[in-house]
């Protein structure tokens, strides 16, 4: 289904502002959907916050009272799923990919993009594996959760990667799905692992799989759209 075009744009976002990062998710997806931009992989990090999926309720919720006491802001994303804890020890990865399928298999929606991340982790001596429908595990622990949003011509598939995040805060704040495994940081097994090393491993994995990587910033159209949405958000 995915990666028919072996050319992919790689964007590494410098901002840690959750508002800008979440607006960027919407805008790049729109750009790829309209044919303004290539298939894209973006790697990004948020400052400490909670990010809520569309229609989050029940299992995908969080301790609202505690979040207020801890002064942790909550933002909404366009994809579904539960509430996710972000901080600077969590690497976010986002694929924005053209599709040509009238009907999309949910498992395949997540599996192929996740395989890139999994192969990168294998190259770092972490034998991670995909668990349907939408998470990556290692040794029985959840290390990455995923969510998606499908438009007419393109889809956003994004996920977290717990590298060295504050698990004490995460576990206090987030209410996991029923039967969800415990979460763990990758540094639990690889002490010297850093987000920078993982970013390099992801890029190397794409190269080894025959992708032509175009390192890029946002286009002028994307940048303009993000700034306008940000202005509206703050108004």
């Amino acid at each position: 289904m995915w990666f028919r075009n072996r050319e992919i744009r790689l964007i590494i976002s410098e901002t840690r502002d959750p508002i800008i990062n979440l607006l960027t998710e919407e805008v790049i997806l729109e750009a790829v959907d309209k044919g303004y931009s290539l298939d894209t992989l973006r790697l990004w990090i948020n400052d400490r916050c909670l990010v809520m999926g569309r229609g989050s309720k029940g299992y995908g919720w969080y301790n609202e009272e505690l979040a207020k006491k801890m002064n942790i802001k909550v933002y909404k994303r366009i994809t579904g799923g539960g509430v996710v804890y972000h901080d600077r020890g969590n690497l976010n990865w986002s694929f924005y990919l053209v599709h040509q399928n009238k009907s999309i298999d949910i498992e395949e929606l997540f599996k192929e993009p996740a395989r890139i991340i999994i192969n990168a982790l294998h190259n770092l001596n972490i034998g991670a594996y995909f668990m349907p429908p939408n998470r990556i595990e290692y040794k029985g622990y959840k290390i990455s959760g995923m969510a998606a949003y499908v438009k007419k011509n393109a889809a956003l598939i994004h996920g977290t990667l717990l590298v060295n995040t504050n698990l004490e805060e995460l576990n206090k704040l987030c209410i996991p799905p029923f039967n969800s495994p415990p979460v763990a940081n990758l540094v639990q097994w690889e002490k010297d692992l850093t987000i920078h090393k993982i970013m390099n491993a992801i890029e190397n994995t794409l190269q080894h799989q025959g992708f032509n990587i175009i390192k890029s910033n946002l286009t002028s159209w994307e940048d303009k759209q993000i700034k306008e949405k940000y202005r509206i958000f703050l108004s």
Side-chain angles (χ1 to χ4, degrees):
M1 178 193 298
W2 307 117
F3 305 120
R4 294 179 181 180
N5 185 349
R6 305 303 288 184
E7 190 168 68
I8 192 164
R9 180 176 61 153
L10 174 62
I11 295 176
I12 298 177
S13 294
E14 294 184 1
T15 181
R16 303 293 182 256
D17 185 328
I19 301 171
I20 294 176
N21 273 323
L22 293 170
L23 291 175
T24 301
E25 295 286 81
E26 299 178 29
V27 170
I28 296 180
L29 176 58
E30 185 178 358
V32 175
D33 185 66
K34 291 179 180 293
Y36 297 164
S37 296
L38 297 171
D39 283 1
T40 300
L41 167 61
R42 183 170 76 104
L43 303 175
W44 52 286
I45 300 165
N46 267 343
D47 281 331
R48 177 173 172 259
C49 67
L50 292 171
V51 181
M52 179 189 302
R54 294 198 325 161
S56 291
K57 57 184 177 180
Y59 72 83
W61 209 240
Y62 69 103
N63 188 325
E64 187 172 357
E65 183 177 343
L66 181 59
K68 289 179 180 178
K69 286 182 180 179
M70 297 171 67
N71 196 31
I72 296 179
K73 293 184 178 180
V74 183
Y75 302 96
K76 284 191 177 182
R77 62 181 188 267
I78 61 172
T79 57
V83 175
V84 181
Y85 177 87
H86 285 193
D87 66 11
R88 293 197 176 198
N90 173 62
L91 174 63
N92 299 291
W93 53 269
S94 301
F95 284 98
Y96 316 79
L97 305 171
V98 171
H99 68 80
Q100 297 176 343
N101 292 25
K102 292 183 179 179
S103 60
I104 294 178
D105 180 89
I106 295 298
E107 185 172 324
E108 289 301 317
L109 176 69
F110 295 108
K111 192 173 184 179
E112 264 194 274
R115 191 177 293 124
I116 301 291
I117 307 301
I118 289 168
N119 288 342
L121 293 175
H122 286 184
N123 291 331
L124 294 168
N125 300 315
I126 297 169
Y129 48 89
F130 177 77
M131 281 296 289
N134 63 338
R135 68 176 183 259
I136 298 172
E137 292 186 12
Y138 181 51
K139 295 187 176 181
Y141 290 88
K142 181 179 178 179
I143 57 172
S144 181
M146 290 172 271
Y149 187 85
V150 180
K151 291 177 73 71
K152 181 180 179 181
N153 300 308
L156 163 63
I157 306 97
H158 62 186
T160 59
L161 198 57
L162 298 173
V163 183
N164 192 21
T165 199
N166 188 331
L167 294 185
E168 182 179 357
E169 287 195 354
L170 184 157
N171 286 316
K172 284 180 179 178
L173 289 161
C174 297
I175 300 173
F178 179 69
N179 284 338
S180 179
V183 295
N185 279 317
L186 293 173
V187 293
Q188 177 177 323
W189 298 282
E190 294 291 332
K191 303 296 184 185
D192 296 329
L193 193 62
T194 64
I195 285 177
H196 182 70
K197 287 181 180 179
I198 295 172
M199 286 180 172
N200 285 339
I202 292 170
E203 183 177 349
N204 290 337
T205 296
L206 289 169
Q207 289 176 333
H208 291 157
Q209 294 188 5
F211 284 90
N212 178 27
I213 301 171
I214 301 173
K215 292 185 179 180
S216 175
N217 295 317
L218 297 167
T219 66
S220 57
W221 184 88
E222 290 166 337
D223 188 57
K224 181 179 178 181
Q225 293 295 312
I226 292 165
K227 287 177 179 175
E228 178 61 18
K229 287 177 179 288
Y230 190 64
R231 183 190 65 78
I232 293 171
F233 181 90
L234 295 178
S235 62

